[in-house]
Amino acid sequence: MNLFRSEAHARRWDGFNPKMAHAIKPIAEWADTFANPFFRERGRADYISWTRSDDGVAAFRALRSSLPLPADD
C-alpha cells in the first residue's frame, strides 16, 4: 500500500495504474477496513476455524461489502 498526500499526487505517481483508481480512498476509510474482525482476529490460535464460524463469515461479508469495486471497463 502506498500513502499519498492527495489523489492528485497518487495519479501523478509513475507507478499509477488507472485500473486501480477505484481503490484510492482516504486513510480513515482504509483504517476502518483493516479494523474489521477478519483482520483483527488473525492472531487467534483457531483463526482458520473461526473464519468458518458464523462470526467469521459475518466479518468476511462486512469486509467484502466495504471494499471498493473496480469500474467496468
Side-chain angles (χ1 to χ4, degrees):
M1 178 187 301
N2 291 305
L3 301 177
F4 295 93
R5 241 186 321 186
S6 68
E7 183 175 339
H9 282 93
R11 291 181 180 280
R12 285 195 302 262
W13 177 47
D14 62 350
F16 179 71
N17 179 349
K19 291 182 179 181
M20 293 301 296
H22 67 278
I24 297 175
K25 296 185 347 178
I27 192 71
E29 288 184 39
W30 281 114
D32 286 343
T33 298
F34 287 104
N36 179 289
F38 207 76
F39 290 102
R40 287 194 332 252
E41 299 294 336
R42 288 181 295 180
R44 294 173 63 122
D46 65 340
Y47 178 72
I48 299 299
S49 299
W50 176 84
T51 63
R52 296 181 181 127
S53 72
D54 290 343
D55 289 340
V57 169
F60 188 69
R61 276 196 194 115
L63 175 63
R64 293 272 314 207
S65 70
S66 72
L67 293 176
L69 297 173
D72 292 333
D73 289 334

